[in-house]
């Protein structure tokens, strides 16, 4: 697998990154206005954090309560230990019910599981119905943002894509593009056998699932087909409906700057006798896939995330390299913690370094997750377990060799001071070899005499 640096290098400065920067800036401006217009936001953030941390501390109890409540209203629950078990359950269910066409609403969890691949390998047609996800699917691309999958695409590219793939005349008018997508999707909703959705929040007390979207596709996916399968990350619970409303207060404001997303759907069980809408069957697949391991480890706080995307929008690294450079389902600051924690720190050891630790993510996070501290913890762990990237381990080892031997350290400072005298301005404009990456965009301060040395010289002179 290529490294973060290699992926980032090939993306920086490209038109998709320019498009993504505009979108991310717009989202973060909208968030700032929404927060300013809502004085209780700080209090709500504290409450949302307390709810999420309390739920995580009692997750086994709330999961059991959720499963009982959902089964009590006629739903089916399946606990999947990993991606294979989750995908297998959905594939077997689809086979058993003679499913041919499946419509999907947006779900990062299904991206994490590669559920579409598993279903398509069994000959089923899977249609993404969120506009952004549909564009990603038609373009054979990957999402670059957790709430706006095509933040890296311009409307001109989308117009060309629709012309090519959907056989419609070219247009880059957003309203017309939306109309084209709606016309394309409507008959597919009406003929689909199964709808698959994600879950934003699950309520333990009532067995309800809450799905938040800005397009009507979520409602059609979960109510038009005869079977609804909801994929739920095991951590995405709250105890009660009242707790859910607190999360909703901070979610949309942090994500898009809206007071509430356009469609906030709360579903409790399948269609009951006499009800006009809804599926005959509702299956909720509760997916662990590494979450228990994260909960038991030092990065457990990241499971409080409500996937608003605010930390991506303000992150200077994400804004510069885009979402694909992170190489995983979850980009940006949240992904830099979550991906190595969920999967393999060895394989993803460069992601905790994909941050300047400026703290902007902590500043905006609606549940106040201390991402900079979690990133530092993971860096620490990767150094201790020797899984960190070579380019970081070697210089750190050399520094440790000098810093733990006073004689070597003083010699290094003296050499630095001599070298520093060569740069009259006090700044180094160009470094050779790997150092060139630093000086390409900024100057480096030339080494100066240590404070200790200057103190000695001053006292000697007085
Ligand atoms: S870590 Fe916080 S800011 Fe980032 S996506 Fe999760 S909830 Fe939103």
């Amino acid at each position: 697998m290529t490294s973060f640096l290699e992926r980032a290098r090939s993306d920086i400065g490209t038109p998709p990154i320019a498009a993504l920067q505009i979108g991310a800036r717009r989202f973060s401006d909208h968030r700032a206005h929404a927060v300013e217009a809502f004085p209780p936001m700080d209090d709500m953030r504290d409450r949302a954090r307390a709810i999420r941390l309390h739920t995580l501390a009692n997750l086994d109890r709330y999961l059991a309560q959720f499963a009982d409540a959902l089964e009590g209203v006629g739903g089916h629950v399946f606990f999947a230990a990993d991606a294979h078990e989750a995908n297998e359950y959905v594939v077997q269910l689809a086979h058993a019910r003679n499913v041919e066409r499946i419509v999907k609403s947006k779900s990062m969890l299904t991206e994490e599981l590669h559920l579409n691949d598993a279903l398509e390998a069994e000959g089923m047609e899977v249609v993404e119905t969120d506009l952004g996800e549909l564009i990603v699917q038609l373009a054979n691309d990957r999402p670059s943002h957790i709430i706006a999958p095509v933040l890296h695409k311009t409307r001109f590219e989308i117009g060309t894509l629709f012309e090519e793939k959907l056989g419609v005349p070219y247009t880059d008018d957003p309203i017309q593009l939306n109309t084209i997508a709606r016309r394309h999707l409507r008959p597919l909703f009406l003929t689909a056998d199964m709808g698959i959705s994600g879950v934003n929040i699950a309520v333990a007390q009532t067995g309800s699932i809450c799905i938040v979207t800005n397009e009507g596709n979520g409602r059609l996916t979960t109510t038009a087909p005869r079977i609804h399968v909801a994929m739920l990350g095991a951590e995405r619970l709250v105890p009660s409906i009242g707790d859910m409303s607190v999360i909703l207060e901070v979610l949309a404001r942090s994500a898009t700057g809206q007071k509430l997303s356009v469609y906030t759907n709360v579903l409790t069980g399948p269609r009951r006798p006499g009800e006009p809408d809804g599926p005959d069957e509702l299956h909720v697949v509760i997916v662990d896939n590494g979450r228990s391991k994260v909960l038991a480890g030092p990065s457990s706080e990241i499971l409080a995330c409500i996937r608003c995307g605010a930390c991506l929008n303000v992150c200077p690294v994400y804004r510069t390299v885009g979402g694909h450079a992170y190489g995983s389902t979850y980009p940006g600051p949240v992904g830099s913690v979550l991906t190595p924690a969920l999967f393999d720190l060895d394989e993803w050891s460069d992601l905790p370094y994909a941050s300047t630790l400026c703290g902007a993510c902590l500043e905006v996070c609606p549940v106040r997750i201390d991402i900079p501290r979690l990133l530092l913890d993971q860096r620490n762990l990767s150094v201790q377990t020797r899984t960190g990237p070579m380019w970081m381990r070697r210089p750190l080892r050399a520094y440790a060799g000098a810093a733990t031997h006073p004689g070597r350290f003083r010699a290094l400072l003296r050499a630095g001071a001599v070298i520093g005298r060569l740069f009259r301005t006090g700044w180094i404009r160009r470094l050779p070899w790997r150092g060139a990456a630093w000086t390409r965009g900024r100057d480096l301060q030339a080494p100066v005499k240590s404070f200790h040395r200057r103190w000695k010289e001053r006292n000697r002179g007085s």
Side-chain angles (χ1 to χ4, degrees):
M1 193 171 78
T2 52
S3 69
F4 174 81
L5 278 181
E6 286 163 332
R7 292 188 296 268
R9 206 170 284 142
S10 64
D11 287 351
I12 288 173
T14 57
I17 300 297
L20 179 138
Q21 282 169 350
I22 294 169
R25 206 168 297 131
R26 193 177 301 142
F27 275 143
S28 69
D29 288 349
H30 288 170
R31 178 205 166 270
H33 290 137
V35 168
E36 204 183 311
F38 186 57
M41 184 70 174
D42 258 352
D43 179 42
M44 282 293 168
R45 288 173 71 189
D46 292 337
R47 289 174 64 186
R49 177 177 172 81
I51 290 166
R52 293 294 295 129
L53 293 184
H54 165 80
T55 312
L56 292 176
N58 299 277
L59 194 56
D60 51 348
R61 176 157 64 89
Y62 286 122
L63 279 171
Q65 191 185 6
F66 173 79
D68 287 348
L70 181 59
E71 283 168 353
V73 289
H76 302 270
V77 178
F78 179 72
F79 283 92
D82 55 25
H84 174 73
E85 278 191 19
N87 292 347
E88 197 56 20
Y89 180 82
V90 184
V91 165
Q92 292 308 328
L93 177 68
H95 276 312
R97 303 292 191 273
N98 298 319
V99 168
E100 290 178 4
R101 173 173 287 158
I102 298 167
V103 284
K104 272 187 75 220
S105 67
K106 188 177 166 308
S107 158
M108 293 307 284
L109 178 58
T110 60
E111 300 273 348
E112 175 190 320
L113 304 173
H114 301 289
L115 177 59
N116 288 16
D117 295 342
L119 290 163
E120 283 166 356
E122 295 291 318
M124 288 155 214
E125 181 192 1
V126 183
V127 184
E128 294 287 352
T129 66
D130 170 87
L131 180 58
E133 289 289 350
L134 173 68
I135 293 163
V136 165
Q137 188 178 41
L138 291 175
N140 203 14
D141 200 350
R142 285 184 300 124
S144 58
H145 190 284
I146 60 176
I147 66 156
V150 286
L151 204 60
H152 61 292
K153 285 207 183 295
T154 63
R155 61 197 161 101
F156 310 108
E157 285 175 273
I158 296 165
T160 308
L161 181 73
F162 278 11
E163 185 183 21
E164 265 174 39
K165 302 283 177 166
L166 302 182
V168 293
Y170 173 86
T171 174
D172 51 45
D173 175 48
I175 293 175
Q176 285 191 41
L177 289 170
N178 268 300
T179 307
I180 291 167
R182 197 174 294 138
R183 283 204 190 115
H184 168 70
L185 290 171
R186 189 54 60 115
L188 300 177
F189 281 121
L190 298 178
T191 51
D193 309 294
M194 178 183 273
I196 298 180
S197 72
V199 178
N200 290 88
I201 310 163
V203 182
Q205 195 181 43
T206 57
S208 310
I209 52 176
C210 176
I211 299 166
V212 175
T213 67
N214 274 322
E215 301 166 26
N217 72 311
R219 278 193 184 166
L220 282 165
T221 300
T222 55
T223 55
R226 55 193 162 92
I227 307 159
H228 172 203
V229 178
M231 307 298 291
L232 168 65
E235 80 282 20
R236 306 292 294 274
L237 257 74
V238 294
S240 67
I241 291 278
D243 296 324
M244 181 190 76
S245 67
V246 174
I247 303 295
L248 291 174
E249 289 279 11
V250 296
L251 177 59
R253 285 184 170 88
S254 304
T256 51
Q258 294 163 286
K259 288 180 188 158
L260 201 62
S261 298
V262 177
Y263 298 93
T264 300
N265 312 296
V266 182
L267 308 167
T268 308
R271 178 162 54 93
R272 295 179 190 85
E275 285 183 345
D277 299 313
D280 299 336
E281 295 178 45
L282 167 63
H283 297 252
V284 176
V285 182
I286 302 177
V287 182
D288 188 312
N289 206 31
R291 285 155 176 80
S292 298
K293 183 188 68 175
V294 180
L295 189 61
S299 304
S300 60
E301 191 184 340
I302 199 67
L303 294 179
C305 173
I306 58 171
R307 304 282 192 278
C308 69
C311 58
L312 280 68
N313 303 330
V314 295
C315 176
V317 175
Y318 173 82
R319 280 190 188 189
T320 306
V321 304
H324 294 159
Y326 293 82
S328 86
T329 307
Y330 305 104
V334 58
S336 294
V337 178
L338 189 59
T339 306
L342 267 183
F343 307 114
D344 186 3
L345 180 58
D346 199 0
E347 191 183 344
W348 298 99
S349 62
D350 49 1
L351 288 189
Y353 293 92
S355 168
T356 62
L357 303 177
C358 67
C361 47
L362 171 60
E363 195 72 27
V364 297
C365 178
V367 283
R368 303 192 193 281
I369 297 174
D370 193 347
I371 292 179
R373 182 185 59 77
L374 295 176
L375 289 168
L376 281 173
D377 286 351
Q378 285 190 338
R379 291 182 191 185
N380 192 8
L381 191 64
S382 75
V383 170
Q384 281 174 16
T385 55
R386 295 171 181 272
T387 51
M390 262 315 187
W391 60 265
M392 184 55 76
R393 272 159 55 198
R394 282 203 184 122
L396 279 179
R397 211 179 299 145
Y399 177 76
T404 51
H405 294 82
R408 279 187 217 166
F409 193 68
R410 274 197 293 274
L412 200 69
L413 287 178
R414 272 199 296 274
V418 171
I419 293 169
R421 280 206 288 273
L422 300 174
F423 299 90
R424 296 228 178 95
T425 59
W427 293 94
I428 301 172
R429 295 260 146 76
R430 197 175 301 159
L431 282 171
W433 197 51
R434 297 219 162 197
W438 177 273
T439 49
R440 203 175 295 133
R442 57 186 95 63
D443 294 343
L444 177 71
Q445 187 160 28
V448 292
K449 285 181 193 167
S450 70
F451 173 78
H452 178 69
R453 180 136 203 95
R454 278 180 284 154
W455 181 265
K456 264 173 77 174
E457 283 177 4
R458 203 183 87 176
N459 286 345
R460 212 183 292 138
S462 63

